[in-house]
């Protein structure tokens, strides 16, 4: 497996004088600016450089290349495999009567024979990440692992865009299937956030919308906790996600607030919030977030069973970036320390991360985590 990176910033290519000529790459992962992704001239330039590749990607809340983070640029990751086949499929939710029908059609369009791993890139504003993960788990073969993330839009929460070759739109979801036994994939996802304050009972919710905690307006209660940050909602909510306690196993799940609805005094999350669950607010400091990123990288190596991966896809939450700010690159450096400088790092800051938890194959929606997916081909 070979990987190369190209970075388009300020109307010029960085780290490279130009794109390659007629590269044999099978897959090109591109993350960044919607204006560039929508530009016919830019798309034609990519297609000339990668004539046989599937070009997939999304808008972001920050583009990752190696151990640096950028905004309003385009990061291009060129992947060429020796023994592995890739196939990409995409759908737009507006073309289907229901979400379930859309995901069923999308999953079934991928050949299942020799399918090993599926990478998911999804719209981040119109998709319930919990439903997406659960439906894909139902539709894809049991031994197939799934990872990926939801597109971002800075801290604006206006519109996210996903692309697959010339298909560029909101409400789009792309799957990339990896085929063959010689590709080894590992994954890890960890946070670093710490619960604080009292536990509160979810007394009214519907899917990913939270209306009441302990019988009180969830939005009004949340504003009380935010204090001076309340005027900056919904962006400020990323600093204080919610921790959902899982009574069955004592573990917890983190949920990010994507938006608010003043008319119904509700909070809209990236994934489901269930009545009867207990929640607490969470906060973090720089050290714990960086430790979480490092743990995620180590988990990916433990699961893959090898050192020195060829390529690592990093998908980290926009909330982490808002807390880390200029120190965001520290979490990328902590990942590189674990994976080694020979591993190419690429990815983006997102509105939600998809990955199995630990050694389980079951894909889950995560929020406020650093998710690492590593790839290596063995001869």
């Amino acid at each position: 497996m070979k990987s190369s990176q190209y970075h388009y910033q300020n109307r010029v290519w960085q780290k490279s004088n130009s794109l390659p000529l007629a590269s044999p790459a099978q897959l090109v992962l591109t993350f960044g600016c919607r204006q560039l992704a929508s530009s016919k001239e830019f798309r034609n330039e990519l297609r000339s450089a990668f004539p046989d590749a599937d070009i997939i990607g999304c808008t972001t809340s920050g583009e990752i290349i190696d151990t640096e983070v950028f905004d309003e640029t385009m990061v291009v990751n060129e992947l060429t495999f020796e023994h592995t086949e890739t196939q990409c499929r995409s759908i737009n939710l507006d073309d289907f009567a229901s979400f379930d029908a859309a995901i069923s059609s999308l999953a079934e369009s991928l050949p299942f024979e020799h399918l090993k791993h599926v990478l998911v890139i999804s719209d981040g504003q119109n998709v319930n990440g919990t439903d997406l993960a659960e439906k894909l788990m139902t539709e894809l073969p049991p031994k197939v692992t799934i990872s990926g993330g939801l597109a971002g839009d800075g801290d604006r929460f206006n519109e996210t865009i996903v692309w697959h070759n010339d298909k560029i739109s909101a409400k789009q979801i792309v799957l990339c299937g990896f085929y063959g036994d010689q590709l080894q994939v590992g994954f890890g996802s960890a946070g670093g956030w710490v619960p604080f304050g009292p536990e509160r009972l979810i007394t009214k919710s519907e899917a990913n919308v939270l209306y009441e905690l302990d019988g009180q307006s969830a939005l009004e209660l949340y504003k009380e906790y935010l204090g001076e940050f309340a005027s900056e909602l919904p962006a400020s909510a990323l600093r204080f996600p919610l921790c959902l306690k899982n009574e069955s196993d004592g573990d917890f799940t983190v949920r990010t607030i994507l938006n608010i609805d003043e008319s119904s005094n509700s909070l809209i999350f990236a994934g489901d919030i269930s009545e009867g669950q207990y929640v607490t607010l969470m906060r973090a400091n720089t050290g714990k977030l960086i430790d979480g990123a490092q743990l995620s990288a180590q988990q990916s190596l433990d699961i893959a069973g090898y050192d020195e991966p060829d390529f690592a896809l990093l998908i980290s939450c926009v909330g982490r970036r808002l807390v880390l700010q200029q120190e965001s690159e520290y979490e990328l450096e902590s990942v590189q320390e674990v994976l080694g400088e020979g591993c190419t790092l690429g990815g983006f800051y997102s509105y939600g991360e998809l990955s199995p938890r630990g050694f389980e194959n079951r894909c889950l929606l995560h929020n406020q985590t650093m998710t690492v997916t590593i790839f290596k081909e063995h001869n």
Side-chain angles (χ1 to χ4, degrees), residues 284-304:
N285 60 45
T286 298
K288 289 189 178 297
L289 291 181
I290 292 171
D291 289 346
Q294 195 165 47
L295 176 59
S296 177
Q298 188 58 55
Q299 286 176 355
S300 71
L301 291 180
D302 293 342
I303 289 169

Side-chain angles (χ1 to χ4, degrees), residues 125-151:
Q125 284 288 87
N126 303 284
V127 172
N128 181 322
T130 301
D131 290 346
L132 176 60
E134 290 181 351
K135 188 63 177 176
L136 286 174
M137 287 296 300
T138 300
E139 296 292 337
L140 293 171
K143 292 185 178 181
V144 173
T145 54
I146 305 167
S147 67
L150 310 184

Side-chain angles (χ1 to χ4, degrees), residues 300-375:
S300 71
L301 291 180
D302 293 342
I303 289 169
Y306 60 77
D307 294 326
E308 299 180 355
D310 294 321
F311 178 76
L313 178 62
L314 312 186
I315 302 179
S316 187
C317 184
V318 59
R320 300 170 66 85
R321 192 177 179 200
L322 289 180
V323 172
L324 291 169
Q325 296 185 25
Q326 292 89 347
E327 297 179 322
S328 295
E329 293 176 358
Y330 290 168
E331 75 166 348
L332 306 182
E333 291 171 1
S334 74
V335 170
Q336 187 183 67
E337 287 178 10
V338 175
L339 301 183
E341 293 188 2
C343 177
T344 302
L345 308 181
F348 64 99
Y349 281 84
S350 74
Y351 283 175
E353 306 81 60
L354 297 166
S355 173
R357 175 182 288 162
F359 283 87
E360 299 178 1
N361 270 2
R362 183 169 183 77
C363 180
L364 299 169
L365 170 71
H366 305 275
N367 291 133
Q368 305 289 10
T369 65
M370 163 67 83
T371 293
V372 177
T373 306
I374 58 174
F375 299 87

Side-chain angles (χ1 to χ4, degrees), residues 223 225-237 239-240:
K223 285 181 177 180
Y225 271 100
L226 286 179
E228 62 183 278
F229 291 108
S231 62
E232 300 173 17
L233 282 167
S236 60
R239 301 174 183 272
F240 300 97

Side-chain angles (χ1 to χ4, degrees), residues 100-111:
D100 283 357
I103 303 307
S104 293
S105 176
L106 179 59
E108 290 170 2
S109 67
L110 278 177

Side-chain angles (χ1 to χ4, degrees), residues 6-14 19 33 36 41-42 45 63 65 70-76:
Y6 308 89
H7 186 209
Y8 193 84
Q9 183 184 25
N10 298 326
R11 299 185 178 183
V12 296
W13 290 100
Q14 309 291 324
L19 291 174
C33 173
L36 285 173
E41 180 181 355
F42 187 81
E45 190 173 356
E63 300 90 62
I65 181 167
F70 297 89
D71 293 297
E72 302 302 322
T73 70
M74 186 67 75
V75 171
V76 177

